[in-house]
């Protein structure tokens, strides 16, 4: 057999992989719009005792504010007027709606972790759809007399207690803000309050990132989160309020609401850093017409810890994480270079190096803060335990100070990859707007 010729075994493997990609793509493509997934209500439910998931971590108590020397701002730096102007000029659109080609590419290349998690994921979506349908009444149905909801304080307390009973790691409450809803879903929201639900991802599996094992743990965590947030929405409905749980991809910027609810701050890696588990959490929202006792943004000291750390930026193999904050739509933050980040996420088993190498994720903010106060250094920085990772493309373990080689034509611009960083609206909407502009 000549060099480079495909063997029969390789041919069979390529055929099997193509079929698996196709199945995984069909299973997950509908998640961009949950309302299309009517068939998931027929997916059988497995008893909780037989499910594959780690025991939920219900966080014991809210984290205290940061020591004085680490404080910067509660939540994040905001310019309300600039936020309003940005929204009026260009409402936000969902990432996967704008970059549908990139989403499709990810689905085609993520079958190793998408396919095994699909049954559990679909069952969670089925429970989500049921909770959403409970808010809607068939045309002509008699008007149901809902019980009068408790006071905002009493209702918030009942929801928190139920969230703990359901196994959610934490919940918080924030005011609904149309500026942070995706334009595609804005009409579905109840303008009132937002319940922010967090679920902690498995620790041990997450430390293997980048790997299919770590990415499967993320999707299993999403499934658990979706199912529990759907159950929490049904609980709120029984208390006499409308409550609409969002899908796993969200219908708005979930990090905004988590910060406003005092559950964490935006880290240098562009993710919510919770004091308990860093960004090793999944976030889901429930919009409700209820008046709740809203939480407030907090200063946990994350900004100064991140400025002193910068491990995620240093360890990112493609340099997708800047270290200088800039204002974007009225918010001063680090803005990840998505055009460099996303193809790596698609090709390297979900990547998540920026999560894995974060000391807050591995050790918790209390330990990181205490170590910093005592030594002036970041716990774990420079160690293989924190910074080392195995690169799936060559199987080699890269220690602290080492980074894998990156070939632009195979990783940043691989065959079939399409991504227009300048596009801000879905292609169909852009085409419609262009057509209307040509009409005289």
């Amino acid at each position: 057999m000549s060099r480079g010729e495909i063997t029969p075994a390789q041919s069979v493997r390529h055929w099997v992989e193509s079929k698996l990609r196709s199945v995984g793509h069909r299973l997950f493509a509908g998640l961009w719009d949950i309302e299309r997934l009517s068939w998931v209500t027929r997916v059988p439910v497995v008893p909780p005792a037989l499910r594959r998931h780690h025991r939920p971590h219900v966080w014991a108590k809210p984290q205290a504010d940061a020591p004085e020397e680490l404080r910067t701002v509660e939540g994040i730096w905001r310019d309300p007027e600039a936020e309003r102007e940005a929204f009026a000029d260009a409402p936000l659109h969902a990432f996967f709606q704008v970059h549908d080609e990139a989403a499709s590419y990810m689905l085609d290349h993520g079958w190793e972790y998408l396919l095994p998690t699909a049954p559990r994921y679909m069952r969670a979506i089925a429970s989500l759809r049921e909770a959403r349908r409970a808010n809607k009444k068939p045309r002509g149905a008699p008007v149901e007399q809902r019980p009068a909801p408790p006071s905002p304080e009493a209702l918030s307390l009942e929801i928190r207690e139920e969230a703990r009973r359901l196994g959610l790691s934490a919940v918080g409450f924030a005011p609904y803000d149309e500026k942070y809803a995706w334009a595609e879903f804005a009409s579905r929201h109840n303008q009132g309050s937002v319940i922010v639900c967090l679920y902690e991802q498995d620790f041990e599996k997450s430390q293997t990132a980048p790997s299919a094992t770590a990415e499967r743990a993320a999707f299993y965590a999403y499934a658990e989160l979706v199912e529990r947030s759907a159950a929490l929405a049904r609980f709120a409905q029984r208390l006499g309020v409308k409550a609409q749980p969002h899908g796993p991809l969200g219908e708005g910027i979930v990090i905004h609401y988590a910060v406003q609810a005092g559950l964490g701050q935006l880290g240098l890696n562009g993710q919510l850093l919770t004091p308990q588990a860093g960004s090793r959490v999944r976030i889901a929202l429930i919009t409700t017409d209820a008046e709740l006792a809203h939480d407030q943004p907090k200063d946990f000291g994350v900004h100064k810890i991140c400025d002193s750390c910068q491990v995620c930026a240093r360890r990112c193999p493609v340099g997708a994480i800047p270290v200088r904050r800039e204002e974007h739509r009225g918010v001063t933050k680090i803005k990840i270079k998505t055009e460099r980040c996303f193809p790596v996420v698609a090709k390297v088993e979900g990547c998540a190096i920026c999560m894995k190498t974060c000391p807050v994720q591995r050790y918790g903010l209390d330990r990181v803060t205490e170590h910093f106060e005592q030594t002036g250094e970041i716990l774990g920085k420079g160690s293989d335990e924190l910074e080392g990772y195995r690169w799936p493309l060559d199987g080699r373990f890269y220690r602290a100070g080492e980074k894998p080689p990156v070939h632009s034509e195979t990783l940043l611009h691989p065959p079939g990859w399409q991504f227009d960083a300048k596009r801000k609206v879905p292609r169909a909407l852009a085409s419609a707007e262009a057509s209307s502009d040509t009409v005289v």
Side-chain angles (χ1 to χ4, degrees), residues 381-423:
K381 186 174 181 177
S383 70
D384 290 345
E385 177 186 67
L386 179 67
E387 297 195 27
Y389 57 83
R390 190 171 301 281
W391 188 241
L393 298 187
D394 61 14
R396 178 186 163 191
F397 183 83
Y398 287 86
R399 306 180 63 181
E402 300 178 330
K403 290 172 69 172
V406 173
H407 304 290
S408 177
E409 65 278 5
T410 59
L411 189 56
L412 294 180
H413 303 94
W417 169 252
Q418 298 180 59
F419 188 86
D420 182 359
K422 296 181 179 180
R423 188 192 302 163

Side-chain angles (χ1 to χ4, degrees), residues 126-135 230-231 233-234 237 243-245:
S127 65
L128 181 69
R129 276 185 56 86
E130 289 299 317
R132 292 170 72 101
R133 290 171 61 188
N135 277 324
R234 294 300 299 269
Q237 291 164 4
Q244 177 172 285

Side-chain angles (χ1 to χ4, degrees), residues 117 121 201-202 206 213-223 282:
T117 58
Y121 215 55
Q201 183 177 315
D202 181 87
S206 298
T213 296
E215 200 64 5
R216 285 193 294 270
F219 276 87
Y220 280 125
Y222 264 128
R282 301 297 146 182

Side-chain angles (χ1 to χ4, degrees), residues 63-82:
Q63 195 83 3
D65 287 340
E68 188 64 36
E69 59 271 21
L70 290 180
R71 293 184 186 178
T72 53
V73 63
E74 293 179 346
I76 197 168
W77 295 272
R78 297 187 180 280
D79 182 339
E81 183 59 31

